[in-house]
Coordinates of all heavy atoms in Angstrom, one line a residue:
E171 N 125.0 -35.0 109.5 CA 123.9 -35.4 110.4 C 122.7 -35.8 109.6 O 122.0 -36.8 109.9 CB 123.5 -34.2 111.3 CG 124.6 -33.9 112.4 CD 124.3 -32.7 113.2 OE1 123.3 -32.0 112.8 OE2 125.0 -32.4 114.1
M172 N 122.4 -35.1 108.5 CA 121.2 -35.4 107.6 C 121.5 -36.8 106.9 O 120.6 -37.6 106.9 CB 121.0 -34.3 106.6 CG 119.8 -34.6 105.7 SD 118.2 -34.7 106.6 CE 118.0 -33.1 107.3
R173 N 122.7 -37.0 106.4 CA 123.0 -38.2 105.8 C 122.9 -39.4 106.7 O 122.3 -40.4 106.4 CB 124.5 -38.1 105.2 CG 124.9 -39.4 104.5 CD 126.4 -39.5 104.4 NE 127.1 -38.2 104.1 CZ 128.3 -37.9 104.5 NH1 129.0 -38.8 105.2 NH2 128.9 -36.8 104.2
E174 N 123.4 -39.2 107.9 CA 123.4 -40.3 108.9 C 121.9 -40.7 109.3 O 121.6 -41.8 109.5 CB 124.2 -40.0 110.1 CG 125.7 -40.0 109.8 CD 126.5 -39.6 111.0 OE1 125.9 -39.1 112.0 OE2 127.8 -39.8 111.0
L175 N 121.1 -39.6 109.4 CA 119.7 -39.8 109.7 C 119.0 -40.6 108.6 O 118.2 -41.5 108.9 CB 119.0 -38.5 109.9 CG 117.5 -38.5 110.2 CD1 117.1 -39.4 111.4 CD2 116.9 -37.1 110.4
I176 N 119.2 -40.2 107.4 CA 118.5 -40.9 106.2 C 118.9 -42.3 106.2 O 118.1 -43.2 106.0 CB 118.8 -40.1 104.9 CG1 118.1 -38.8 104.9 CG2 118.4 -41.0 103.7 CD1 118.6 -37.9 103.8
L177 N 120.3 -42.6 106.3 CA 120.8 -44.0 106.3 C 120.2 -44.8 107.4 O 119.9 -46.0 107.3 CB 122.3 -44.0 106.3 CG 123.0 -43.4 105.0 CD1 124.5 -43.3 105.3 CD2 122.7 -44.4 103.9
K178 N 120.1 -44.2 108.6 CA 119.5 -44.8 109.8 C 118.1 -45.2 109.5 O 117.7 -46.4 109.8 CB 119.7 -43.9 111.0 CG 119.2 -44.6 112.3 CD 119.4 -43.6 113.4 CE 118.9 -44.2 114.8 NZ 119.1 -43.3 115.9
L179 N 117.3 -44.3 109.0 CA 115.9 -44.6 108.8 C 115.7 -45.6 107.7 O 114.8 -46.5 107.8 CB 115.1 -43.3 108.4 CG 115.0 -42.2 109.4 CD1 114.5 -40.9 108.8 CD2 114.1 -42.7 110.6
N180 N 116.5 -45.6 106.7 CA 116.5 -46.6 105.6 C 116.9 -48.0 106.2 O 116.2 -49.0 105.9 CB 117.4 -46.2 104.5 CG 117.4 -47.2 103.4 OD1 118.4 -47.9 103.2 ND2 116.4 -47.3 102.6
R181 N 117.9 -48.0 107.0 CA 118.5 -49.3 107.4 C 117.6 -49.9 108.6 O 117.3 -51.1 108.6 CB 119.9 -49.1 107.9 CG 120.6 -50.3 108.4 CD 122.1 -50.0 108.7 NE 122.2 -48.9 109.7 CZ 122.7 -47.7 109.4 NH1 123.1 -47.4 108.2 NH2 122.9 -46.8 110.4
E182 N 117.2 -49.1 109.6 CA 116.6 -49.6 110.7 C 115.1 -49.6 110.6 O 114.4 -50.5 111.2 CB 116.9 -48.7 112.0 CG 118.4 -48.8 112.3 CD 118.8 -48.0 113.5 OE1 117.9 -47.5 114.2 OE2 120.0 -47.8 113.8
K183 N 114.5 -48.7 109.9 CA 113.0 -48.6 109.7 C 112.5 -49.1 108.4 O 111.3 -49.1 108.1 CB 112.6 -47.2 110.0 CG 112.9 -46.6 111.3 CD 112.0 -47.2 112.4 CE 112.2 -46.6 113.7 NZ 111.4 -47.2 114.8
Q184 N 113.5 -49.5 107.5 CA 113.2 -49.9 106.1 C 112.3 -48.9 105.4 O 111.4 -49.3 104.6 CB 112.5 -51.3 106.1 CG 113.4 -52.5 106.4 CD 113.7 -52.6 107.9 OE1 112.9 -52.6 108.8 NE2 115.0 -52.6 108.2
I185 N 112.6 -47.6 105.6 CA 111.9 -46.6 104.9 C 112.5 -46.3 103.5 O 113.7 -46.2 103.4 CB 111.9 -45.3 105.7 CG1 111.1 -45.4 107.0 CG2 111.4 -44.1 104.9 CD1 111.1 -44.2 107.9
T186 N 111.7 -46.3 102.5 CA 112.1 -46.0 101.1 C 112.1 -44.5 101.0 O 111.3 -43.8 101.5 CB 111.1 -46.6 100.1 OG1 111.0 -48.0 100.3 CG2 111.5 -46.3 98.7
F187 N 113.2 -44.0 100.3 CA 113.3 -42.5 100.1 C 113.3 -42.1 98.6 O 113.9 -42.8 97.8 CB 114.6 -42.0 100.7 CG 114.7 -41.9 102.2 CD1 115.0 -43.0 103.0 CD2 114.3 -40.7 102.8 CE1 115.0 -42.9 104.4 CE2 114.4 -40.6 104.2 CZ 114.7 -41.6 105.0
L188 N 112.7 -41.0 98.3 CA 112.8 -40.3 97.1 C 113.5 -38.9 97.5 O 112.8 -38.2 98.2 CB 111.5 -40.1 96.4 CG 111.5 -39.1 95.2 CD1 112.5 -39.6 94.1 CD2 110.1 -38.9 94.6
I189 N 114.7 -38.7 97.0 CA 115.4 -37.5 97.4 C 115.8 -36.7 96.2 O 116.6 -37.2 95.3 CB 116.7 -37.9 98.2 CG1 116.4 -38.7 99.5 CG2 117.5 -36.6 98.6 CD1 117.6 -39.1 100.2
S190 N 115.2 -35.5 96.1 CA 115.6 -34.6 95.1 C 116.7 -33.7 95.6 O 116.6 -33.1 96.7 CB 114.4 -33.7 94.7 OG 114.8 -32.5 94.0
S191 N 117.9 -33.6 94.9 CA 119.0 -32.8 95.4 C 119.8 -32.4 94.2 O 120.0 -33.1 93.2 CB 119.8 -33.6 96.4 OG 120.9 -32.8 96.9
H192 N 120.4 -31.2 94.4 CA 121.4 -30.7 93.4 C 122.8 -30.8 93.9 O 123.8 -30.5 93.2 CB 121.1 -29.3 93.0 CG 121.4 -28.2 94.0 ND1 120.6 -28.0 95.1 CD2 122.5 -27.4 94.2 CE1 121.1 -27.1 95.9 NE2 122.2 -26.7 95.3
I193 N 123.0 -31.3 95.2 CA 124.3 -31.4 95.8 C 124.7 -32.9 95.5 O 124.5 -33.8 96.3 CB 124.3 -31.1 97.3 CG1 123.8 -29.6 97.4 CG2 125.7 -31.2 97.9 CD1 123.7 -29.2 98.9
L194 N 125.3 -33.1 94.3 CA 125.4 -34.5 93.8 C 126.5 -35.3 94.6 O 126.4 -36.5 94.7 CB 125.8 -34.4 92.3 CG 124.7 -33.7 91.5 CD1 125.0 -33.9 90.0 CD2 123.3 -34.2 91.8
D195 N 127.5 -34.6 95.1 CA 128.5 -35.3 95.8 C 127.9 -35.9 97.1 O 128.2 -37.1 97.4 CB 129.7 -34.4 96.2 CG 130.7 -35.1 97.0 OD1 131.3 -36.0 96.5 OD2 131.0 -34.7 98.2
E196 N 127.0 -35.2 97.8 CA 126.4 -35.7 99.0 C 125.4 -36.8 98.6 O 125.3 -37.8 99.3 CB 125.7 -34.6 99.7 CG 125.1 -35.0 101.0 CD 126.1 -35.5 102.1 OE1 127.3 -35.0 102.0 OE2 125.7 -36.3 102.9
L197 N 124.7 -36.6 97.5 CA 123.7 -37.6 97.1 C 124.4 -39.0 96.7 O 123.9 -40.1 97.0 CB 122.9 -37.1 95.9 CG 121.7 -37.9 95.4 CD1 120.7 -37.9 96.6 CD2 121.1 -37.3 94.2
S198 N 125.6 -38.9 96.2 CA 126.3 -40.1 95.8 C 126.7 -40.9 97.0 O 127.1 -42.1 96.9 CB 127.6 -39.7 95.0 OG 128.6 -39.1 95.8
R199 N 126.7 -40.3 98.2 CA 127.1 -41.0 99.5 C 125.9 -41.8 100.0 O 126.0 -42.5 101.0 CB 127.6 -40.1 100.5 CG 128.9 -39.3 100.1 CD 129.1 -38.2 101.0 NE 130.1 -37.3 100.5 CZ 131.4 -37.3 100.9 NH1 131.9 -38.2 101.8 NH2 132.3 -36.4 100.4

Side-chain angles (χ1 to χ4, degrees):
E171 291 172 355
M172 181 60 65
R173 182 202 316 155
E174 290 177 348
L175 174 58
I176 291 168
L177 290 171
K178 182 179 181 180
L179 292 171
N180 178 254
R181 183 173 57 248
E182 297 180 10
K183 299 289 186 180
Q184 285 76 54
I185 292 176
T186 302
F187 282 88
L188 169 60
I189 302 175
S190 161
S191 180
H192 72 282
I193 303 177
L194 303 188
D195 180 61
E196 186 61 28
L197 194 59
S198 69
R199 300 167 193 260

